[in-house]
Amino acid sequence: MAKYIFVTGGVTSSLGKGIIAASLGKLLQARGLSVTIQKFDPYINVDPGTLNPYEHGECYVTEDGAETDLDLGHYERFLNIFTSQANNVTTGRIYQTVINKERDGAYLGKTVQVVPHITDEIKRRMLLLGQGGFDIVITEIGGTVGDIESLPFIEAVRQLQWELPEEDCVVVHLTLIPYLKAAKELKTKPTQHSVRMLSQEGVHPDVIVCRTEEPLGPEIKRKIALFCNVKKEAVIEAADAPTIYEVPLAMMREKLDLICLKKMNITQYSEPELSKWKEFLDKLKYPKSKVTIGLIGKYIELQDAYKSILEAFIHAGAMNECKVNIVNVHSEFITDENVEEKLGHLDGLLVAPGFGHRGIEGKITAVKYAREQKLPFFGICLGMQMSVIEFARNVLNWPEAHSTEMDPATNRPVIDLMEEQKSVTAKGGTMRLGAYPCQITEGTLAHQIYGATQISERHRHRWEFNNKYLADFEAAGLVASGKNPESGLVEIVELPNHPFFLGVQYHPELKSTVENPQPVFVHFVKAAKEYAEKKDAVRNPLLQNEMI
Ligand code: GLN
């Protein structure tokens, strides 16, 4: 029988509920328990697939092709597990299920209501993963307590607190303890109010995790315990950390895992096995070299738009004992005239995934620069498609080459809508999504990177390399080194006469975890390191001689 931990949030959004949930999950997993995490989001969209990154940051895609909240990325990166469609549920999906059932006549004769029909469906989904053989299911409730939207979710937790055996249910409430500089004081009042609000909704937290910029100290902890009706040891300090990967260790010091285990009456557990995690943190904290990589995209002002890419670079950097400094370059402002000035200082170039025509020409100019200057290049999804267009225009001399996504009337549709997409009109969940196999050609860069000829990676796209032109490209020197074994769809392109030039149609960033950094990222950072060393040697031959 699984036990359930619910994580709610109070005071403000963006306190890092996902990181706290993932850290708690990591600690319980490290103690030998099998854990999964799910997220319930209060918005009406059926999934975040139709939301743009300004609304919701990155859309994270699971193995089974679900378009989900970016917190699922944290769960996978921390726990080194795969999540699925069942791990992310929205209000929209709950209502869709209930309304479909109503149309099918499942409630014939009855009035369908928020309580009990919507809350029953929420509870059913909250308990669903518990049937998968996990010891513990952690459920993060999106939004902030007091929001109108999240009320049915909190109500479902209230009911479960009564329906489940007491030791099978824990509620962890994450709040903020603001520090008022002028008064030089930490303030507990917002936390008191948010716990009161939660209690009014019928849910009493067992543990309160307090985000804070300053150490709480025993007096503040005592005060929170007193006013919020929890034990003093159940008030956990979550101080700002230099990296999210420190948080599990900080939570271990605060005994968050032990408090939850005690409440759940779990006595069979081991000392936390975190040696790989700690090794990763050591490498992250004490890098031996540094590279600067340009991330070319159109959402560069948004931290969350390329979340998984940034995290994959952290994993790959640690693996190379190298600090990866990412500089965001807005593709809209790159031109032939300023490309050297904008990209000349880089050790590697990543052209990001994306949709639509904004910033496209700048991306193509950036790829051209990387190809000609032999700057390590890595293109993901749209980035790969741009490298194909660049090659067509500047090597094959097809100036009109384009993707039909941006120019439906182009004479040279080197990137074209996938055949099975041509009849698709609905937008939600209709792209080529999730894991697909890829066959790699031996002796290529891709083969060297993966050390295998059969791989599987996750996808999210509608357009593809147009195989009608494959022979022309290959004759001119571009190698299609990875293909889908069934459809022949080109998944990887590369240039042999270049230190590192690789474009992938899939999203390798989605499978990078602390314990298994994604190999393309690892090799790309390595190539950037080598490029930086060579650049230094040219710029500073004396220094090199001295070092020898
Ligand atoms: N817009 C492109 C397509 O749909 C690329 C998608 C992406 O980068 N994820 O094929």
Side-chain angles (χ1 to χ4, degrees), residues 105-144:
Y107 311 105
L108 222 50
K110 291 270 174 241
T111 309
V112 182
Q113 295 177 298
V114 173
V115 184
H117 302 100
I118 294 296
T119 47
D120 277 354
E121 178 58 18
I122 296 174
K123 285 192 293 180
R124 187 184 71 79
R125 291 193 183 248
M126 280 177 170
L127 301 179
L128 205 60
L129 289 176
Q131 291 155 19
F134 295 104
D135 298 322
I136 290 166
V137 178
I138 300 178
T139 303
E140 178 190 345
I141 311 282
T144 309

Short mmCIF file of all heavy atoms in Angstrom, two decimals, residues 105-144:
data_model
loop_
_atom_site.label_atom_id
_atom_site.label_comp_id
_atom_site.label_asym_id
_atom_site.label_seq_id
_atom_site.Cartn_x
_atom_site.Cartn_y
_atom_site.Cartn_z
N GLY A 105 -23.67 9.22 -20.03
CA GLY A 105 -24.79 8.76 -19.19
C GLY A 105 -24.37 8.12 -17.88
O GLY A 105 -25.18 7.48 -17.20
N ALA A 106 -23.11 8.29 -17.51
CA ALA A 106 -22.63 7.62 -16.29
C ALA A 106 -23.32 8.13 -15.03
O ALA A 106 -23.37 7.43 -14.02
CB ALA A 106 -21.11 7.80 -16.17
N TYR A 107 -23.80 9.38 -15.05
CA TYR A 107 -24.46 9.90 -13.83
C TYR A 107 -25.97 10.04 -14.06
O TYR A 107 -26.62 10.90 -13.46
CB TYR A 107 -23.90 11.28 -13.48
CG TYR A 107 -22.40 11.39 -13.45
CD1 TYR A 107 -21.70 12.04 -14.48
CD2 TYR A 107 -21.67 10.89 -12.37
CE1 TYR A 107 -20.32 12.16 -14.44
CE2 TYR A 107 -20.28 11.02 -12.33
CZ TYR A 107 -19.62 11.65 -13.36
OH TYR A 107 -18.26 11.78 -13.32
N LEU A 108 -26.50 9.25 -14.95
CA LEU A 108 -27.88 9.44 -15.40
C LEU A 108 -28.85 9.69 -14.23
O LEU A 108 -28.89 8.93 -13.27
CB LEU A 108 -28.33 8.22 -16.21
CG LEU A 108 -29.16 8.52 -17.46
CD1 LEU A 108 -28.50 9.57 -18.34
CD2 LEU A 108 -29.42 7.25 -18.24
N GLY A 109 -29.59 10.80 -14.31
CA GLY A 109 -30.56 11.12 -13.28
C GLY A 109 -30.01 11.99 -12.17
O GLY A 109 -30.76 12.56 -11.39
N LYS A 110 -28.67 12.12 -12.09
CA LYS A 110 -28.06 12.87 -10.99
C LYS A 110 -27.60 14.26 -11.45
O LYS A 110 -27.22 14.46 -12.60
CB LYS A 110 -26.82 12.12 -10.47
CG LYS A 110 -27.13 10.83 -9.76
CD LYS A 110 -27.33 11.07 -8.26
CE LYS A 110 -27.78 9.83 -7.55
NZ LYS A 110 -29.10 9.96 -6.90
N THR A 111 -27.57 15.21 -10.50
CA THR A 111 -26.97 16.51 -10.77
C THR A 111 -25.45 16.35 -10.60
O THR A 111 -25.00 15.84 -9.57
CB THR A 111 -27.47 17.55 -9.73
OG1 THR A 111 -28.88 17.48 -9.70
CG2 THR A 111 -27.00 18.94 -10.08
N VAL A 112 -24.69 16.77 -11.60
CA VAL A 112 -23.22 16.62 -11.50
C VAL A 112 -22.66 17.88 -10.84
O VAL A 112 -22.92 18.99 -11.29
CB VAL A 112 -22.59 16.37 -12.89
CG1 VAL A 112 -21.09 16.19 -12.77
CG2 VAL A 112 -23.23 15.15 -13.54
N GLN A 113 -21.90 17.69 -9.75
CA GLN A 113 -21.46 18.83 -8.93
C GLN A 113 -19.96 18.79 -8.64
O GLN A 113 -19.32 17.74 -8.77
CB GLN A 113 -22.23 18.80 -7.61
CG GLN A 113 -23.73 19.03 -7.82
CD GLN A 113 -24.49 18.93 -6.52
OE1 GLN A 113 -24.49 17.88 -5.89
NE2 GLN A 113 -25.13 20.02 -6.14
N VAL A 114 -19.46 19.95 -8.19
CA VAL A 114 -18.02 20.02 -7.84
C VAL A 114 -17.74 19.00 -6.73
O VAL A 114 -16.80 18.22 -6.81
CB VAL A 114 -17.61 21.45 -7.42
CG1 VAL A 114 -16.17 21.47 -6.91
CG2 VAL A 114 -17.73 22.41 -8.61
N VAL A 115 -18.55 19.06 -5.66
CA VAL A 115 -18.48 18.02 -4.63
C VAL A 115 -19.77 17.21 -4.76
O VAL A 115 -20.85 17.78 -4.70
CB VAL A 115 -18.41 18.66 -3.22
CG1 VAL A 115 -18.23 17.55 -2.17
CG2 VAL A 115 -17.27 19.67 -3.13
N PRO A 116 -19.75 15.92 -5.01
CA PRO A 116 -18.60 15.04 -4.95
C PRO A 116 -17.96 14.68 -6.30
O PRO A 116 -16.92 14.04 -6.30
CB PRO A 116 -19.22 13.77 -4.37
CG PRO A 116 -20.58 13.73 -4.99
CD PRO A 116 -21.02 15.16 -5.13
N HIS A 117 -18.57 15.09 -7.46
CA HIS A 117 -18.10 14.46 -8.72
C HIS A 117 -16.70 14.92 -9.13
O HIS A 117 -15.87 14.11 -9.50
CB HIS A 117 -19.14 14.69 -9.82
CG HIS A 117 -20.47 14.14 -9.44
ND1 HIS A 117 -21.50 14.92 -8.96
CD2 HIS A 117 -20.92 12.85 -9.38
CE1 HIS A 117 -22.53 14.16 -8.65
NE2 HIS A 117 -22.21 12.90 -8.91
N ILE A 118 -16.50 16.25 -9.07
CA ILE A 118 -15.16 16.74 -9.44
C ILE A 118 -14.13 16.27 -8.40
O ILE A 118 -13.06 15.76 -8.75
CB ILE A 118 -15.17 18.29 -9.57
CG1 ILE A 118 -16.05 18.72 -10.76
CG2 ILE A 118 -13.76 18.86 -9.68
CD1 ILE A 118 -15.58 18.28 -12.13
N THR A 119 -14.47 16.42 -7.13
CA THR A 119 -13.50 16.00 -6.09
C THR A 119 -13.26 14.49 -6.13
O THR A 119 -12.14 14.04 -5.89
CB THR A 119 -13.95 16.45 -4.69
OG1 THR A 119 -15.33 16.12 -4.54
CG2 THR A 119 -13.77 17.94 -4.50
N ASP A 120 -14.26 13.71 -6.47
CA ASP A 120 -14.05 12.26 -6.59
C ASP A 120 -13.05 11.95 -7.72
O ASP A 120 -12.19 11.09 -7.58
CB ASP A 120 -15.37 11.53 -6.91
CG ASP A 120 -16.18 11.28 -5.64
OD1 ASP A 120 -15.66 11.56 -4.54
OD2 ASP A 120 -17.34 10.81 -5.76
N GLU A 121 -13.21 12.67 -8.83
CA GLU A 121 -12.29 12.44 -9.95
C GLU A 121 -10.87 12.89 -9.57
O GLU A 121 -9.90 12.23 -9.93
CB GLU A 121 -12.80 13.19 -11.21
CG GLU A 121 -11.92 13.09 -12.44
CD GLU A 121 -11.67 11.65 -12.93
OE1 GLU A 121 -12.40 10.73 -12.56
OE2 GLU A 121 -10.67 11.48 -13.69
N ILE A 122 -10.76 13.99 -8.83
CA ILE A 122 -9.43 14.43 -8.36
C ILE A 122 -8.83 13.35 -7.46
O ILE A 122 -7.67 12.96 -7.63
CB ILE A 122 -9.52 15.79 -7.61
CG1 ILE A 122 -9.97 16.89 -8.56
CG2 ILE A 122 -8.18 16.15 -6.98
CD1 ILE A 122 -10.23 18.24 -7.89
N LYS A 123 -9.63 12.86 -6.53
CA LYS A 123 -9.11 11.84 -5.59
C LYS A 123 -8.70 10.57 -6.34
O LYS A 123 -7.68 9.98 -6.05
CB LYS A 123 -10.17 11.50 -4.54
CG LYS A 123 -10.33 12.57 -3.48
CD LYS A 123 -11.17 12.08 -2.30
CE LYS A 123 -12.60 11.82 -2.70
NZ LYS A 123 -13.45 11.36 -1.60
N ARG A 124 -9.53 10.19 -7.31
CA ARG A 124 -9.21 8.98 -8.08
C ARG A 124 -7.83 9.12 -8.72
O ARG A 124 -6.99 8.23 -8.65
CB ARG A 124 -10.28 8.74 -9.16
CG ARG A 124 -10.13 7.42 -9.91
CD ARG A 124 -11.13 7.28 -11.04
NE ARG A 124 -10.87 8.16 -12.18
CZ ARG A 124 -9.95 7.93 -13.12
NH1 ARG A 124 -9.21 6.85 -13.05
NH2 ARG A 124 -9.78 8.78 -14.12
N ARG A 125 -7.59 10.31 -9.29
CA ARG A 125 -6.31 10.52 -9.96
C ARG A 125 -5.17 10.68 -8.95
O ARG A 125 -4.04 10.29 -9.22
CB ARG A 125 -6.39 11.73 -10.88
CG ARG A 125 -7.29 11.45 -12.08
CD ARG A 125 -7.11 12.51 -13.12
NE ARG A 125 -8.01 12.31 -14.23
CZ ARG A 125 -7.62 11.97 -15.45
NH1 ARG A 125 -6.34 11.77 -15.72
NH2 ARG A 125 -8.49 11.85 -16.43
N MET A 126 -5.47 11.26 -7.79
CA MET A 126 -4.41 11.40 -6.77
C MET A 126 -3.93 10.04 -6.30
O MET A 126 -2.77 9.85 -5.98
CB MET A 126 -4.93 12.21 -5.58
CG MET A 126 -4.93 13.71 -5.83
SD MET A 126 -5.63 14.62 -4.43
CE MET A 126 -5.18 16.30 -4.91
N LEU A 127 -4.86 9.07 -6.26
CA LEU A 127 -4.51 7.74 -5.74
C LEU A 127 -4.01 6.78 -6.81
O LEU A 127 -3.44 5.74 -6.51
CB LEU A 127 -5.73 7.11 -5.04
CG LEU A 127 -6.31 7.91 -3.86
CD1 LEU A 127 -7.51 7.19 -3.28
CD2 LEU A 127 -5.26 8.12 -2.76
N LEU A 128 -4.21 7.18 -8.08
CA LEU A 128 -3.93 6.27 -9.20
C LEU A 128 -2.50 5.73 -9.20
O LEU A 128 -2.28 4.52 -9.32
CB LEU A 128 -4.20 7.02 -10.51
CG LEU A 128 -4.55 6.21 -11.74
CD1 LEU A 128 -5.82 5.41 -11.50
CD2 LEU A 128 -4.76 7.17 -12.93
N LEU A 129 -1.52 6.61 -9.04
CA LEU A 129 -0.13 6.16 -9.11
C LEU A 129 0.22 5.24 -7.94
O LEU A 129 1.17 4.47 -8.00
CB LEU A 129 0.84 7.35 -9.14
CG LEU A 129 0.85 8.17 -10.44
CD1 LEU A 129 1.78 9.37 -10.28
CD2 LEU A 129 1.32 7.32 -11.61
N GLY A 130 -0.57 5.33 -6.87
CA GLY A 130 -0.35 4.47 -5.70
C GLY A 130 -0.56 3.00 -6.03
O GLY A 130 -0.08 2.12 -5.32
N GLN A 131 -1.25 2.73 -7.15
CA GLN A 131 -1.46 1.33 -7.55
C GLN A 131 -0.29 0.78 -8.35
O GLN A 131 -0.28 -0.37 -8.75
CB GLN A 131 -2.75 1.22 -8.38
CG GLN A 131 -3.99 1.48 -7.57
CD GLN A 131 -5.15 1.97 -8.43
OE1 GLN A 131 -5.17 1.79 -9.63
NE2 GLN A 131 -6.12 2.62 -7.78
N GLY A 132 0.71 1.65 -8.60
CA GLY A 132 1.84 1.23 -9.44
C GLY A 132 2.98 0.61 -8.66
O GLY A 132 4.08 0.47 -9.19
N GLY A 133 2.75 0.25 -7.41
CA GLY A 133 3.79 -0.43 -6.64
C GLY A 133 4.76 0.53 -5.94
O GLY A 133 5.79 0.10 -5.42
N PHE A 134 4.46 1.81 -5.92
CA PHE A 134 5.33 2.76 -5.22
C PHE A 134 5.07 2.73 -3.71
O PHE A 134 3.94 2.50 -3.29
CB PHE A 134 5.10 4.19 -5.73
CG PHE A 134 5.48 4.37 -7.16
CD1 PHE A 134 4.50 4.44 -8.14
CD2 PHE A 134 6.81 4.47 -7.54
CE1 PHE A 134 4.83 4.60 -9.48
CE2 PHE A 134 7.15 4.63 -8.88
CZ PHE A 134 6.15 4.69 -9.85
N ASP A 135 6.12 2.98 -2.93
CA ASP A 135 5.93 3.10 -1.48
C ASP A 135 5.30 4.46 -1.18
O ASP A 135 4.46 4.58 -0.30
CB ASP A 135 7.27 3.02 -0.74
CG ASP A 135 7.95 1.68 -0.95
OD1 ASP A 135 7.22 0.66 -0.98
OD2 ASP A 135 9.19 1.64 -1.11
N ILE A 136 5.78 5.47 -1.91
CA ILE A 136 5.32 6.83 -1.61
C ILE A 136 4.97 7.59 -2.89
O ILE A 136 5.73 7.56 -3.86
CB ILE A 136 6.41 7.58 -0.81
CG1 ILE A 136 6.51 6.96 0.58
CG2 ILE A 136 6.10 9.08 -0.70
CD1 ILE A 136 7.69 7.32 1.35
N VAL A 137 3.83 8.25 -2.86
CA VAL A 137 3.43 9.12 -3.97
C VAL A 137 3.38 10.55 -3.42
O VAL A 137 2.62 10.83 -2.50
CB VAL A 137 2.04 8.73 -4.52
CG1 VAL A 137 1.63 9.68 -5.65
CG2 VAL A 137 2.03 7.28 -5.00
N ILE A 138 4.22 11.41 -3.99
CA ILE A 138 4.20 12.81 -3.57
C ILE A 138 3.33 13.57 -4.57
O ILE A 138 3.49 13.42 -5.78
CB ILE A 138 5.62 13.39 -3.53
CG1 ILE A 138 6.49 12.60 -2.53
CG2 ILE A 138 5.59 14.88 -3.15
CD1 ILE A 138 7.92 13.05 -2.44
N THR A 139 2.41 14.38 -4.07
CA THR A 139 1.54 15.16 -4.96
C THR A 139 1.74 16.64 -4.68
O THR A 139 1.49 17.10 -3.56
CB THR A 139 0.05 14.79 -4.72
OG1 THR A 139 -0.09 13.39 -4.93
CG2 THR A 139 -0.86 15.55 -5.67
N GLU A 140 2.21 17.34 -5.69
CA GLU A 140 2.37 18.79 -5.55
C GLU A 140 1.09 19.45 -6.07
O GLU A 140 0.64 19.15 -7.17
CB GLU A 140 3.59 19.23 -6.39
CG GLU A 140 3.82 20.72 -6.36
CD GLU A 140 4.87 21.18 -7.37
OE1 GLU A 140 5.64 20.34 -7.91
OE2 GLU A 140 4.90 22.39 -7.62
N ILE A 141 0.52 20.33 -5.26
CA ILE A 141 -0.68 21.06 -5.70
C ILE A 141 -0.23 22.43 -6.20
O ILE A 141 0.32 23.23 -5.42
CB ILE A 141 -1.68 21.26 -4.52
CG1 ILE A 141 -1.92 19.95 -3.76
CG2 ILE A 141 -2.98 21.90 -5.01
CD1 ILE A 141 -2.85 18.98 -4.39
N GLY A 142 -0.45 22.69 -7.48
CA GLY A 142 -0.03 23.98 -8.05
C GLY A 142 -0.84 25.13 -7.46
O GLY A 142 -1.89 24.92 -6.87
N GLY A 143 -0.33 26.35 -7.62
CA GLY A 143 -1.04 27.53 -7.14
C GLY A 143 -0.77 27.78 -5.66
O GLY A 143 0.04 27.11 -5.03
N THR A 144 -1.49 28.76 -5.12
CA THR A 144 -1.28 29.19 -3.74
C THR A 144 -2.57 29.01 -2.97
O THR A 144 -3.65 29.29 -3.50
CB THR A 144 -0.88 30.69 -3.74
OG1 THR A 144 0.18 30.86 -4.68
CG2 THR A 144 -0.42 31.15 -2.38
#
